[in-house]
Amino acid sequence: MSNEIPQRVFSGVQPTGNLTLGNYLGAIRRFVALQEHHSCIYCVVDLHAITIAQDPRELMDATRSVAAAYIAAGIDVSKHIVFNQSRVHQHAELAWVFNCIARMGWLSRMTQFKEKAGKDREKASVGLFSYPTLMAADILLYRGTHVPVGDDQKQHLELTRDIAQKFNNDFSDRIAELGLGVEMEIGREIVNGYFPLTEPLIEGPATRIMSLRDGTKKMSKSDPSDMSRINLTDTEDDIAKKIRKAKTDPEPLPSEVEGLENRPEAANLVSIFGALTDKEPGTVLQEYGGKPFSEFKPILAEVAIDAITPITSEMRRLSADPAYIDSVLANGGEQASAIAAETMRDVRDIVGLLA
Ligand code: AQP
């Protein structure tokens, strides 16, 4: 009996439109940092994208574009696995098993479903409702131990842990009989089972970047207003204009972090600045406290342009060669399939599904 699950980082991004500064700072930039010391699998989660209607051609383009962003941001595809989810059929297969493990009550509490389904829940797809069980399958198919995500995914990761724990409990005798159980130390917990209790990595200065038009709403690629976000495909002029027009209040920047309370737009611009320059908000305010936004915004725009435009131009160069992107995804898909097939063989045995 093997008694250790190796540490493995897994995360994904949906190909649902242009990637935003939020996706970059909250997720992709952290994927790049983690690759130095971990074995990583980064997925373009196209099966998640179709929980909301997508134009087929745009979906293919967006899938390649997310892969291009991963590579342009610095993910080393010769050392880590990058692929699109739908290539590995075991994601859907394990999601079905997890649909039978997860409880209706658990899924009914998911705030993202409530937000995305809106008022007319009856018309939302079943896929949108069961999205978190597919997300749990994405992670646990590779027995992912660490998942870097933005703050909005916290609840889904808690559900992933609940599903893993229920699976481990429901089948504990069978897991022991087959010798597939492992003792895991995750954080401070010692756990015995087949699936690890995944650790969410929600940390750093940019776990929730807010809309440039409304500091109480998350910056999102599907926001109807393009002015609400900075896209990784924006030109320098676009970035400068969006920051210039970003909603703010009439007061100058405060000198202390406490002064940002009840000033969501100001707090957001300061945290974007901090994330882009690797500075704590307090340090940013020491430098810029007392300055009006008319002075701070152009400096922020310059910092944002410096950070984003090298990635944008590399994405553009990569996107001109879709055959290369496809080869990366195919190669990553093969490596992912090999791991996924092993997990799914175990799961079938554990659950009692004849091969
Ligand atoms: N505003 C944000 N701040 C910090 N992190 C963010 N993430 C998303 N928005 C922000 C993180 O990016 C990763 C990929 O997100 P996703 O594509 O899976 O979907 P999402 O979380 O629903 O992000 P969007 O941009 O709002 O997409 P749409 O509009 O399609 O729903 C995740 O780790 C997420 O936390």
Side-chain angles (χ1 to χ4, degrees), residues 14 16 22-23 116 149-150 152-153 209 218-222:
Q14 293 187 79
T16 40
N23 299 128
K116 291 202 171 175
V149 281
D152 60 321
Q153 295 299 328
I209 298 293
K218 190 187 77 147
M219 183 180 285
S220 172
K221 30 179 152 60
S222 58

Side-chain angles (χ1 to χ4, degrees), residues 106-125:
W106 299 359
L107 289 170
S108 304
R109 286 192 280 278
M110 294 295 113
T111 53
Q112 193 178 83
F113 172 73
K114 291 181 197 163
E115 278 162 23
K116 291 202 171 175
K119 287 202 185 97
D120 208 352
R121 262 187 229 175
E122 294 287 308
K123 290 216 174 111
S125 72

Side-chain angles (χ1 to χ4, degrees), residues 144-308:
T145 53
H146 295 82
V147 182
V149 281
D151 179 56
D152 60 321
Q153 295 299 328
K154 186 166 185 250
Q155 201 185 23
H156 289 165
L157 283 173
E158 281 161 7
L159 190 101
T160 299
R161 288 169 70 95
D162 290 343
I163 289 175
Q165 197 156 22
K166 186 163 190 311
F167 183 95
N168 290 341
N169 286 343
D170 289 357
F171 296 103
S172 58
D173 292 348
R174 179 77 179 149
I175 291 168
E177 180 191 330
L178 292 169
L180 291 171
V182 288
E183 209 167 69
M184 301 159 252
E185 192 179 346
I186 307 272
R188 287 198 209 119
E189 286 175 85
I190 301 282
V191 181
N192 201 299
Y194 181 73
F195 287 119
L197 296 196
T198 304
E199 282 285 310
L201 300 177
I202 304 174
E203 52 203 24
T207 55
R208 186 177 279 259
I209 298 293
M210 309 309 275
S211 157
L212 299 179
R213 305 304 303 159
D214 177 351
T216 62
K217 254 173 72 183
K218 190 187 77 147
M219 183 180 285
S220 172
K221 30 179 152 60
S222 58
D223 190 309
S225 163
D226 192 56
M227 293 300 284
S228 70
R229 62 178 164 264
I230 292 172
N231 304 304
L232 292 192
T233 49
D234 281 346
T235 63
E236 294 187 15
D237 285 350
D238 291 334
I239 297 171
K241 180 170 141 204
K242 287 176 178 180
I243 293 180
R244 192 169 64 246
K245 299 215 160 193
K247 186 178 165 198
T248 42
D249 55 47
E251 301 299 317
L253 281 173
S255 305
E256 312 272 327
V257 176
E258 294 70 39
L260 291 172
E261 249 172 61
N262 302 320
R263 296 182 66 189
E265 284 84 17
N268 190 35
L269 295 188
V270 169
S271 70
I272 293 175
F273 192 98
L276 288 169
T277 55
D278 283 325
K279 287 182 183 152
E280 293 296 323
T283 315
V284 177
L285 293 177
Q286 269 169 20
E287 249 173 276
Y288 297 101
K291 291 218 184 296
F293 284 104
S294 57
E295 271 184 55
F296 181 66
K297 281 178 169 179
I299 304 169
L300 173 59
E302 209 171 300
V303 163
I305 288 167
D306 283 352
I308 295 168

